[in-house]
């Protein structure tokens, strides 16, 4: 029994404990566990029996908890590296590679960096998916396909394949066919997800500057000539002004301000509309209390594709309704 004066576990800590319990009860063979926030003090970092530590690209986010620089955020994320276990880093942030290797050296972990140890050739990117040839010291695969779309998913695939190359000797069921099937069948709801092709409607939960930059780059690459209408909502503790500027500059879209109903963290539609008026859009922006109303307005305007983005909470609210 917990006394009232004792610190209660957080919502995320309770969820993590439940997930670990269910994993044990169901006797899972392999678990892929993602840190919730940072890594050093994250509830997931209590695990042992880890076979590989994985760090994807690092960007500025959650600065109130992780720090305001890439280096301070990286020090939190690199703390997932475990002793005597391989550690794989995307290496996209070249300035952090040395720091990553130092972390590994201090913990007796073997560092592996995608940008240094892998080669990617014959890249094909389309709205139907990506294809690539992958070369690493312990794994070579040609014509690997994934239905995850976007330029950045090539780098994500390379990181995943590097991890597999380092751990496959531990798992006799990992064959070339299973690797190909895993990449081909991987799905990521709400991340550059096409939920309708006629009309074209895309969902993306990118909520920080780096995520929105990757979104813009991919949209320009996949649909360079389409008139885009953006239905947007944001949490008030995010860099929404920077994201709005980026969306405006890169995509030159029409803009529809909305919110996440009944969520106090979300900007109100009028607050978001006020911020959006600092920029010139393809339309005269409007605000909508109900995101579906914003989508319907965007569909009835002069848009060839609708992009719903700005918050995972927005995607979580609207995806089942669409």
């Amino acid at each position: 029994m917990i006394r009232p004066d004792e610190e209660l576990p957080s919502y995320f800590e309770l969820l993590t404990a439940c997930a670990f319990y269910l994993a044990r009860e169901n006797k899972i063979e392999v678990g892929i566990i993602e840190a919730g926030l940072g890594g050093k003090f994250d509830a997931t970092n209590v695990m042992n029996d880890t076979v590989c530590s994985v760090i994807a690209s690092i960007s500025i986010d959650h600065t109130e908890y992780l720090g305001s620089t890439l280096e301070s955020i990286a020090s939190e994320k690199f703390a997932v590296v475990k002793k005597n276990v391989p550690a794989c880093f995307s290496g996209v942030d070249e300035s952090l590679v040395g720091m990553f290797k130092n972390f590994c050296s201090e913990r007796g972990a073997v560092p592996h960096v995608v940008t240094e140890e892998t080669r990617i050739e014959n890249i094909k990117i389309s709205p139907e998916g990506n294809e690539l040839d992958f070369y690493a010291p312990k794994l070579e695969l040609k014509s690997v396909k994934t239905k995850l779309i976007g330029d950045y998913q090539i780098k994500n695939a390379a990181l995943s394949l590097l991890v597999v190359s380092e751990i496959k000797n531990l798992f006799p069921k990992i064959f070339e066919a299973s690797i190909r099937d895993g990449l081909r069948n991987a799905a990521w709801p709400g991340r550059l997800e096409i939920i309708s092709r006629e009309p074209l409607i895309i969902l993306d939960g990118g909520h920080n500057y780096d995520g929105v930059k990757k979104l813009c780059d991919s949209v320009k690459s996949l649909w360079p000539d389409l008139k885009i209408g953006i239905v947007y909502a944001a949490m008030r503790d995010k860099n929404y002004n920077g994201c709005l500027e980026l969306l405006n500059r890169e995509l030159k879209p029409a803009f529809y301000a909305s919110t996440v109903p009944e969520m106090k963290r979300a900007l109100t539609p009028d607050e978001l509309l006020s911020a959006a008026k600092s920029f010139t859009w393809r339309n005269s922006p409007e605000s909508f209390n109900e995101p579906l109303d914003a989508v319907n307005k965007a569909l009835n305007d002069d848009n060839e594709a609708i992009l719903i983005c700005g918050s995972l909470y927005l995607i979580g609210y609207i995806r089942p309704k669409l």
Side-chain angles (χ1 to χ4, degrees), residues 26 50 68 105 132 210 234 237-238 243 271 284 288 293 305 312:
N26 287 278
T50 301
S68 58
S105 177
L132 66 145
D210 181 67
D237 56 339
K238 299 298 181 183
C243 293
E271 288 172 327
S284 179
F288 301 83
D293 292 340
L312 286 166

Side-chain angles (χ1 to χ4, degrees), residues 34 36 61-62 152 188-193 203-208 211-212 231-235 237-238 259-261 263 265-266 308-320:
E34 181 183 10
D61 200 6
H62 303 294
Y152 56 91
W188 195 342
R191 191 60 170 130
L192 208 60
E193 180 187 17
L203 304 181
D204 193 274
H207 50 272
N208 59 29
V212 173
V231 174
Y232 192 86
M235 300 298 105
D237 56 339
K238 299 298 181 183
T259 188
V260 182
M263 175 159 284
R265 272 184 65 202
I308 304 169
C309 62
S311 172
L312 286 166
Y313 293 109
L314 172 64
I315 303 307
Y317 175 84
I318 206 166
R319 187 176 184 272

Side-chain angles (χ1 to χ4, degrees), residues 286-298:
E286 301 176 57
S287 62
F288 301 83
N289 290 315
E290 169 52 55
L292 284 176
D293 292 340
V295 173
N296 286 327
K297 182 64 167 67

Side-chain angles (χ1 to χ4, degrees), residues 67-112:
S68 58
T69 66
L70 276 182
E71 290 73 19
S72 62
I73 294 171
S75 70
E76 296 283 334
K77 292 182 177 289
F78 290 156
V80 301
V81 170
K82 298 292 192 297
K83 187 176 181 179
N84 300 326
V85 168
C88 296
F89 176 41
S90 70
V92 173
D93 319 282
E94 293 183 12
S95 63
L96 301 177
V97 170
M99 185 177 175
F100 167 69
K101 291 181 177 179
N102 287 337
F103 260 79
C104 291
S105 177
E106 291 170 2
R107 288 158 177 75
V110 181
H112 299 280

Side-chain angles (χ1 to χ4, degrees), residues 125-130 147-153 187-197 200-206 211-223 228 251 306-309 312 315 319:
I125 298 173
S126 79
E128 281 68 48
N130 295 334
K147 62 184 178 183
L148 297 176
I149 64 174
D151 301 9
Y152 56 91
Q153 294 295 3
W188 195 342
R191 191 60 170 130
L192 208 60
E193 180 187 17
I194 299 173
I195 60 167
S196 170
R197 293 188 182 270
L200 181 58
I201 301 177
I202 307 151
L203 304 181
D204 193 274
V212 173
K213 178 67 168 63
K214 290 174 179 174
L215 169 63
C216 289
D217 290 344
S218 294
V219 169
K220 288 196 301 181
S221 173
L222 293 168
W223 302 285
I228 306 291
L251 302 182
I306 309 301
L307 173 59
I308 304 169
C309 62
L312 286 166
I315 303 307
R319 187 176 184 272

Side-chain angles (χ1 to χ4, degrees), residues 11 33 35 66-67 77 103 122 165 178 209 217 219 233 237 240 245 270-271 274 282 296 298 306 314-315 321:
Y11 174 72
I33 311 299
L66 305 180
K77 292 182 177 289
F103 260 79
N122 298 323
S165 75
S178 61
Y209 193 88
D217 290 344
V219 169
D237 56 339
Y240 55 88
E245 188 277 331
D270 288 341
E271 288 172 327
S274 178
R282 196 163 45 78
N296 286 327
I306 309 301
L314 172 64
I315 303 307
K321 295 176 171 57

